[in-house]
């Protein structure tokens, strides 16, 4: 069941949701304290992150992404709160999805099944975390943070080096909490880098679908109709699933292939229907296709914001708004809201990024004839670059 979010701002669009889950019978006061500690680490300057060893500018799908400017933002939420979590609008706005789940363990409070022995069994706690995260289908990145482990006690049963972060007891005396915060910073920075890498992979996949001609467009429609993957995403090295691009207010009329079979004749008919060149397809089908590509560009803008590159988001949102203005009011509003959120991110005083002059020129040009077309050209260039990056990326 979705929560009613009451603490959202434009800045929320730039924050990746991270679910904090209490595990192993951790006392509430201890859990609350650790939650507060995580929330103090919500903003991570890009210059504090280390790019993956195989990352190159050539393979990055974002033209303006930088490892030295701006910041990556987490939004730590607790299950059942009103500042995030489950949302039925997660296919409409990317920031409403939960992408990471962190299990919080206080080892002295844990009891193992063998004679009620004190200590954690991380294989059991992983099962507990999986149960808690089950309602969050996009929380595929999961970690367990174990606090107050006494290293004299030896290894922890069920330990997985790729999943579990073991933290020592908080040092006594003044400055102990600050030292514990520094212990937390490195694994959180690694999670931020993993998320950026994942987002880049999605964008490469979606860009490949956009640039794949009629075949790519067809796979996008079929994937949307099934709610699953398409050939474009798989060949681009993504996770095999294109975004649904739906809101709770949408109907099947927004997906022209929803009721079509997969026979050769229907595929040929569908390919004609989704062609944006105007050849052979009905006007209504071309209008639906235009909406779909506008929605996808808007979604790419959402991902650009989450990845910490608001300059790319501005261009993508502007292109999406130009396509959605006349025929898709809800998604047009979403693109404009995202555009405003990108400007807020650019003007964030806590980052070294400033709103560049070309952004103000773009805003001024939105009301002028031809402004939308220019934005589409810029976004098309970005999509071409992303598709090229997907093709260049080694297997």
């Amino acid at each position: 069941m979705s929560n009613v979010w009451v603490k959202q701002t434009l800045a929320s669009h730039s924050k990746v949701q991270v679910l904090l889950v209490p595990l192993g019978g951790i006392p509430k006061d201890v859990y609350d304290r650790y939650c507060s500690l995580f929330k103090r680490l919500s903003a991570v300057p890009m210059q504090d992150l280390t790019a993956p060893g195989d990352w190159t500018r050539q393979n990055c799908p974002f033209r303006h992404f930088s490892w030295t400017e701006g910041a990556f933002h987490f939004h730590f939420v607790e299950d059942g709160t009103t500042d995030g979590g489950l949302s039925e609008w997660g296919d409409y706005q990317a920031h409403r999805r939960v992408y990471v789940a962190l299990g919080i363990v206080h080892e002295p409070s844990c009891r193992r099944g063998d004679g009620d022995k004190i200590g954690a069994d991380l294989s059991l706690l992983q099962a507990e975390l999986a149960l808690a995260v089950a309602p969050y289908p996009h929380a595929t990145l999961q970690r367990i943070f174990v606090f107050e482990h006494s290293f004299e006690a030896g290894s922890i049963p069920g330990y997985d080096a790729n999943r579990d972060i073991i933290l020592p007891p908080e040092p006594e005396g003044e400055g102990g909490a600050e030292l514990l915060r520094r212990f937390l910073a490195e694994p959180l920075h690694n999670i931020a880098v993993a998320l950026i890498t994942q987002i880049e992979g999605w964008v490469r996949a979606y860009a490949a679908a956009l640039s794949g001609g009629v075949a790519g467009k067809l796979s996008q429609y079929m994937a949307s109709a099934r709610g699953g993957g398409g050939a474009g995403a798989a060949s681009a090295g993504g996770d095999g699933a294109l975004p649904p691009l739906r809101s709770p207010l949408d109907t099947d009329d927004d997906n022209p292939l929803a009721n079509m079979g997969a026979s050769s004749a229907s595929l040929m008919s569908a390919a004609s229907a989704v062609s944006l060149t105007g050849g052979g397809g009905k006007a209504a089908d071309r209008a639906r296709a235009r909406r779909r590509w506008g929605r996808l560009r808007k979604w790419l803008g959402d991902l650009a914001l989450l990845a910490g590159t608001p300059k790319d988001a501005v261009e993508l949102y502007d292109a999406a708004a130009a396509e959605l203005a006349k025929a898709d009011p809800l998604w047009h509003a979403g693109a404009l809201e995202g555009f405003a959120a990108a400007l807020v991110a650019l003007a964030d005083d806590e980052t070294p990024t400033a709103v560049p002059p070309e952004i103000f020129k773009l805003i001024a040009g939105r009301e002028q004839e031809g402004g939308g077309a220019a934005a589409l050209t810029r976004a098309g260039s970005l999509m071409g670059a992303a598709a090229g990056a997907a093709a260049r990326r080694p297997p």
Side-chain angles (χ1 to χ4, degrees):
M1 182 177 180
S2 298
N3 297 324
V4 177
W5 291 16
V6 297
K7 298 181 180 179
Q8 296 298 295
T9 67
L10 286 175
S12 301
H13 291 250
S14 302
K15 299 177 180 180
V16 174
Q17 282 204 92
V18 179
L19 181 70
L20 300 178
V21 181
L23 299 178
I26 182 173
K28 187 178 185 309
D29 60 331
V30 177
Y31 170 68
D32 290 342
R33 179 171 175 271
Y34 290 147
C35 287
S36 298
L37 193 59
F38 277 101
K39 291 175 183 179
R40 289 174 56 193
L41 297 166
S42 296
V44 182
M46 285 291 188
Q47 59 191 4
D48 289 352
L49 302 178
T50 301
D54 61 347
W55 189 92
T56 64
R57 169 60 57 191
Q58 185 183 27
N59 287 327
C60 179
F62 297 116
R63 292 196 299 137
H64 303 295
F65 181 84
S66 172
W67 290 102
T68 60
E69 294 183 358
F72 184 91
H73 295 275
F74 292 111
H75 177 46
F76 296 103
V77 298
E78 303 167 52
D79 193 25
T81 58
T82 58
D83 62 340
L86 286 175
S87 173
E88 61 182 345
W89 295 89
D91 292 333
Y92 169 69
Q93 292 177 313
H95 76 280
R96 291 184 179 271
R97 292 181 173 185
V98 171
Y99 295 95
V100 186
L102 304 182
I104 311 302
V105 178
H106 181 244
E107 190 181 20
S109 303
C110 291
R111 295 290 188 276
R112 294 208 297 268
D114 49 346
D116 205 31
K117 184 178 179 181
I118 294 178
D121 185 333
L122 295 178
S123 60
L124 298 177
L125 294 178
Q126 173 58 36
E128 185 180 345
L129 177 63
L131 183 64
V133 177
Y136 301 86
H138 306 290
T140 55
L141 200 163
Q142 301 179 16
R143 299 288 186 270
I144 294 178
F145 284 74
V146 181
F147 291 86
E148 295 283 338
H149 172 64
S150 175
F151 288 95
E152 289 80 5
S155 60
I156 302 177
Y159 172 74
D160 183 342
N162 295 319
R163 179 198 64 207
D164 305 323
I165 294 93
I166 311 300
L167 299 162
E170 182 178 325
E172 297 182 359
E174 186 177 354
E178 176 61 22
L179 188 57
L180 182 59
R181 188 188 70 82
R182 293 184 182 182
F183 288 154
L184 278 178
E186 182 178 356
L188 286 178
H189 290 182
N190 292 338
I191 290 172
V193 172
L195 285 166
I196 291 171
T197 302
Q198 189 174 52
I199 290 171
E200 287 186 348
W202 292 336
V203 174
R204 280 191 295 267
Y206 307 153
L210 270 180
S211 62
V214 171
K217 296 175 176 63
L218 179 60
S219 69
Q220 161 69 15
Y221 271 106
M222 295 301 291
S224 298
R226 296 190 301 269
S235 65
D239 62 358
L242 292 172
L245 303 176
R246 293 179 64 86
S247 80
L249 304 182
D250 285 338
T251 66
D252 285 342
D253 290 339
D254 293 305
N255 189 340
L257 298 189
N259 299 314
M260 297 188 68
S263 67
S264 298
S266 64
L267 290 179
M268 291 178 63
S269 175
S272 176
V274 301
S275 173
L276 298 184
T277 63
K282 295 180 179 179
D285 291 326
R286 291 197 299 272
R288 288 193 186 98
R290 186 180 181 90
R291 282 206 306 273
R292 298 298 292 177
W293 309 136
R295 289 185 178 193
L296 183 53
R297 286 192 174 97
K298 182 265 180 195
W299 187 263
L300 290 169
D302 288 357
L303 294 180
L305 266 184
L306 294 181
T309 179
K311 292 180 183 179
D312 288 300
V314 163
E315 294 181 357
L316 288 160
Y317 284 132
D318 188 61
E323 292 194 19
L324 300 169
K326 295 182 179 180
D328 205 349
L330 177 64
W331 284 76
H332 179 240
L336 295 179
E337 182 179 351
F339 190 100
L343 295 182
V344 169
L346 283 167
D348 187 351
D349 290 337
E350 295 181 358
T351 71
T353 304
V355 179
E358 61 267 23
I359 300 300
F360 290 110
K361 293 179 182 178
L362 187 150
I363 297 172
R366 287 292 289 120
E367 300 301 326
Q368 299 175 7
E369 184 177 357
L376 290 177
T377 300
R378 288 190 294 271
S381 299
L382 176 60
M383 292 300 94
R392 290 189 298 270
R393 188 171 179 82

